[in-house]
């Protein structure tokens, strides 16, 4: 019987320095995860951390990682050809098929863009999957902008609002993502739409409230938690909120459930 929590070594194919604090690692692997699922990445004798898949293809996975602790610091010291350990995929991903054919509104903050990147790429490659795609992507400042080539490409086909919390640069808005939610033409969608929100908990909380204020029913909103998972199989209780195990029932949740979990 396969041990569900036994990590296996995988070779690093490429490392892209997105920013000073965020790197994207392309890993040799044959998994085909759901959009929005996560893996546990680990370094022997150092530890492990849960990271959502930001992109995947035949024979590879990509993870966009922010340096925030000893495990990620160790990962950032690695080079192509080195091996990191993975186990997964875990959790419930985005309801891609359930939301097929709808107007889709994505609201992301910072690295919250990573868990929807693979889905956005699929929507770009297969435009028939959605009636329309609207993307509000916010970053703290210019130095924190992720996936610049993708942002430029998505702008060709999607309705986009790219914004920085503080900085002012040409071609970008200034202000929090909540400022731009009222600009989405929800009343023209005929009720056939969904809102996907990913980012820090406080950002998701206020973005969801703003969407509701704009007339979006709570049942049309989805979020993904960037909460610390440990065992990822519902045994340790590290990610438990009340009676909900985020690693098993998430990381993607309908807002009708998530509004009681945001802390």
């Amino acid at each position: 019987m396969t041990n569900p929590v036994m990590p296996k070594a995988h070779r690093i194919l490429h490392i892209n320095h997105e920013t000073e604090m965020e790197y994207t690692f392309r890993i040799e692997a044959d998994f085909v995860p759901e959009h929005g699922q996560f893996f546990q990445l680990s370094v022997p004798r150092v530890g492990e951390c849960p990271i959502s898949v930001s992109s995947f293809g035949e024979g590879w996975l990509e993870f966009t990682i922010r340096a925030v602790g000893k495990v990620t610091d160790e990962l950032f010291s690695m080079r192509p050809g080195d091996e990191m350990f993975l186990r997964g995929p875990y959790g419930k991903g985005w309801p891609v098929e359930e939301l097929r054919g709808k107007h889709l509104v994505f609201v992301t903050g910072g690295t919250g863009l990573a868990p929807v990147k693979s889905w956005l790429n699929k929507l770009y490659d297969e435009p028939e999957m959605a009636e329309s795609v609207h993307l509000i992507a916010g970053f703290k400042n210019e130095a924190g902008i992720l996936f610049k080539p993708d942002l430029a490409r998505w702008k060709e086909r999607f309705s986009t609002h790219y914004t920085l919390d503080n900085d002012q640069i040409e071609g970008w808005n200034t202000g929090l993502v909540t400022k731009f939610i009222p600009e989405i033409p929800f009343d023209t969608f005929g009720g056939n739409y969904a809102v996907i929100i990913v980012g820090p908990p406080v950002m998701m909380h206020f973005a969801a409230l703003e969407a509701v204020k704009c007339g979006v029913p709570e049942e049309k909103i989805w979020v993904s938690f960037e909460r610390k998972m440990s065992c990822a199989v519902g045994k340790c209780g590290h990610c438990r909120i009340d009676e909900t195990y985020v690693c098993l029932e998430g990381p993607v949740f309908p807002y009708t459930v998530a509004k009681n979990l945001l802390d």
Side-chain angles (χ1 to χ4, degrees):
M1 181 180 294
T2 302
N3 185 340
V5 294
M6 177 65 73
K8 294 184 178 180
H10 293 265
R11 186 166 61 94
I12 299 172
L13 299 174
H14 177 73
I15 303 172
N16 183 43
H17 295 193
E18 304 280 354
T19 72
E20 185 177 341
M21 295 293 292
E22 287 103 358
Y23 292 0
T24 294
F25 292 77
R26 177 169 289 198
I27 310 300
E28 187 175 43
D30 292 324
F31 300 102
V32 182
E34 298 175 19
H35 302 282
Q37 284 190 303
F38 71 96
F39 281 73
Q40 290 286 124
L41 277 56
S42 61
V43 180
R45 297 181 298 279
V46 177
E48 65 178 1
C49 56
I51 304 291
S52 294
V53 178
S54 57
S55 192
F56 59 90
E58 187 173 349
W60 57 269
L61 300 170
E62 285 187 350
F63 300 92
T64 300
I65 303 172
R66 181 176 176 81
V68 293
K70 62 180 183 180
V71 178
T72 53
D73 287 347
E74 189 69 25
L75 292 174
F76 273 41
S77 71
M78 292 183 174
R79 299 290 181 267
D82 291 344
E83 291 184 333
M84 69 167 65
F85 285 72
L86 308 181
R87 58 183 178 92
Y90 295 116
K92 293 181 179 178
W94 300 108
V96 173
E97 290 305 315
E98 180 182 340
L99 301 182
R100 179 183 284 269
K102 295 183 181 294
H103 298 272
L104 299 178
V105 179
F106 294 83
V107 185
T108 68
T111 54
L113 186 56
V116 294
K117 180 174 180 279
S118 64
W119 189 7
L120 287 168
N121 281 332
K122 187 174 182 66
L123 290 165
Y124 181 91
D125 292 336
E126 302 177 33
E128 70 279 3
M129 287 189 65
E131 282 292 320
S132 67
V133 178
H134 300 255
L135 172 61
I136 303 173
F139 300 93
K140 185 173 292 185
N141 50 43
E142 183 178 5
I145 297 173
L146 299 173
F147 311 134
K148 291 180 181 178
D150 297 282
L151 290 171
R153 189 165 53 93
W154 295 334
K155 198 170 185 177
E156 298 171 0
R157 291 193 182 169
F158 304 157
S159 175
T160 59
H161 292 79
Y162 298 155
T163 186
L164 302 176
D165 292 356
N166 305 308
D167 285 2
Q168 293 183 340
I169 62 173
E170 185 177 356
W172 282 67
N173 298 296
T174 301
L176 302 178
V177 293
T178 49
K179 175 181 176 181
F180 304 95
I181 293 174
E183 297 188 22
I184 303 298
F186 294 109
D187 58 351
T188 70
F189 295 159
N192 184 38
Y193 66 92
V195 179
I196 297 94
I197 302 173
V198 199
V202 67
M203 170 263 169
M204 292 195 293
H205 173 74
F206 284 105
L209 290 180
E210 187 62 34
V212 171
K213 184 179 174 181
C214 292
V216 177
E218 292 183 349
E219 60 269 21
K220 293 185 181 296
I221 302 174
W222 296 81
V223 303
S224 179
F225 278 74
E226 296 179 345
R227 189 175 179 87
K228 178 70 173 176
M229 270 77 82
S230 186
C231 73
V233 293
K235 299 299 182 183
C236 71
H238 195 276
C239 69
R240 182 182 173 195
I241 306 174
D242 296 327
E243 300 304 314
T244 300
Y245 288 81
V246 175
C247 67
L248 294 180
E249 299 174 55
V252 171
F253 288 95
Y255 180 66
T256 50
V257 174
K259 66 179 182 178
N260 300 313
L261 304 178
L262 289 167
D263 54 9

